[in-house]
Amino acid sequence: MPQLTADDARSLAKQFHDAAVAVGNYRFNTPGLSASAAQRLDGLQWTLLNYSSDFATAAIAITLADVQKTVGSIDAATTAIGTAVKKIETLDKVLRVASALAVLGAAIITQNPLAISSAIGGVATATQSSPA
Amino acid sequence: MNCMRKRTWPACTPTICIVLLVCALTSCVDLSQVTSFADAATQAGTALTPLVNDLRGSCERLNSYAPEGATLRDCAQYDKLEKGISSAQGVLVNYMQALAQLSADKKVTFSQGTTDLAGKLQAAGLDATASTSATGLAGKLADAVTNGYRRKKLAQFIHAENKDVQTLTHALSDIFQKDYKQLLTNEEVAMDSYYQRALQKPNRDREPLAAVLVVHEERQARDELKARVQAAEAYGKVMRSIADGHQKLDEAGQSLNTKDLFQFLGRDIGDISSSLNDVYSAFK
């Protein structure tokens, strides 16, 4: 027997709902109904509404089951994006080290001992702040 | 920009080349729209939580309208479904949040970190003009490299996940616009019958004052139900806007710098924000 799809369940939910509405219309628009007949109609309408809600609930469950694989794929992509973001942070730090090295290069070219010493300190700091 | 004032092209050439290089590397990209879109989608996910948790709420309200002697529905069955929806929606929100981070400028702080580079270069012996130029260029090139990487990665992820994002947003939209709405519609039918029974002639004649209170209560219950139906519609709109915006980003592909991007994503962001007002008003 083929399995119920979410759309099948939705269609059944709608049909049971419509039937419940029809029972309600009859129940409240028919003059002279006995108390017991009214009570039976109330019970019948409640049963039909329950079936409608059961099918709507089944549609939710089927939809969720259908997207399980999709959800897993998006979750994996999110992890990969996180890795890309970390790489950008790494790149940022690499560029910091490079700029500190540029300062060192300028200091060496100008043969300024104080500046060389300070630039070495700058390279050391930038290196320490970079990721392992 | 001495070269510009003097208008001597050979002198300007290095500057022009650098500007062109920076533009080529970055495609003069403004990724802020991507960030705004992803941020709006992330905020939407959080704002929609009360709506997700109303599946059980709807069942409990339905039970409160049951006719005398009827067997009540088992509302605990919705706890598992609510968890499933929250988790699927959470995955979508996390993904959008990750896209926002990848597209956001704030993650790349190289330019901010080079504010003291000019001073350092001067201390190292370079003259002031050269130091300032070197600092500016270092910052621009660093931004160009990181922007280029971000743009490339964004396009790759968006393209790879577009089909899944379309499927998931469509599924979540269906759950609220069709199934949750069906549950609310059933609630309305049960409510109609409940209040009609309460206001039937013998009851109304026996306790006229109580009948007035019942009418008042019915009106309030109807208003609340109407707001929830609107919230369900709004949820669907939010999901459609996320799907739509993601689709446009995928179509834009590597050329995320297109002028149109601002226009189409702007509309999706606006739709998400305005739809959320309906959700807020239903569950305030």
Side-chain angles (χ1 to χ4, degrees), chain A residues 10 17 27-28 42 45-46 50 52-54 57 70 73 77-78 81 87-89 92 95 106-107 110 115, chain B residues 71 73 78 81 95 98 107-110 117 123-124 149-150 161 164 171 179 182 185-186 189 193 196-197 200:
Chain A
R10 282 177 188 128
H17 162 268
R27 149 79 166 94
F28 293 106
D42 284 343
Q45 186 192 42
W46 178 252
N50 268 299
S52 175
S53 293
D54 283 345
T57 308
T70 304
S73 165
T78 306
I81 295 172
K87 270 188 190 164
I88 290 175
E89 287 172 328
D92 179 33
L95 290 164
T110 55
Chain B
T71 310
R73 287 183 67 72
Y78 291 102
L81 289 179
Y95 169 75
K107 272 285 162 195
V108 182
T109 52
F110 181 77
L117 184 59
Y149 177 79
R150 279 192 288 151
E161 289 311 307
D164 286 334
D179 307 325
Q182 181 68 66
T185 312
N186 292 347
V189 175
S193 298
Q196 286 196 63
R197 280 194 298 271
Q200 265 180 334

Side-chain angles (χ1 to χ4, degrees), chain A residues 100 103-104 107 112-126, chain B residues 119-121 123-124:
Chain A
V103 175
L104 178 62
N112 178 343
L114 276 177
I116 292 172
S117 162
S118 159
I120 289 171
V123 173
T125 311
Chain B
K120 285 179 184 168
L121 286 169

Side-chain angles (χ1 to χ4, degrees), chain B residues 176-206:
Chain B
F176 283 93
Q177 282 203 309
K178 293 179 179 172
D179 307 325
Y180 173 65
K181 248 175 91 177
Q182 181 68 66
L183 294 174
L184 293 179
T185 312
N186 292 347
E187 196 184 315
E188 188 180 14
V189 175
M191 185 202 290
D192 281 344
S193 298
Y194 174 84
Y195 285 111
Q196 286 196 63
R197 280 194 298 271
L199 293 170
Q200 265 180 334
K201 212 168 180 344
N203 294 338
R204 202 175 50 204
D205 293 345
R206 213 169 32 231

Side-chain angles (χ1 to χ4, degrees), chain B residues 10 22 40 127 130 144 152 178 187 202 206 217 234 257 261 268 270:
Chain B
V22 170
D127 65 51
K152 187 179 151 209
K178 293 179 179 172
E187 196 184 315
R206 213 169 32 231
E217 186 188 291
N257 56 334
L261 198 59
D268 287 319

Side-chain angles (χ1 to χ4, degrees), chain B residues 33 37 237 241 244-245 248 260-275:
Chain B
Q33 274 297 297
F37 166 68
K237 267 190 204 166
S241 298
D244 193 44
K248 284 165 187 165
D260 296 339
L261 198 59
F262 181 86
Q263 278 183 319
F264 15 89
L265 283 185
R267 202 176 54 217
D268 287 319
I269 294 165
D271 284 349
I272 289 172
S273 306
S274 63
S275 299

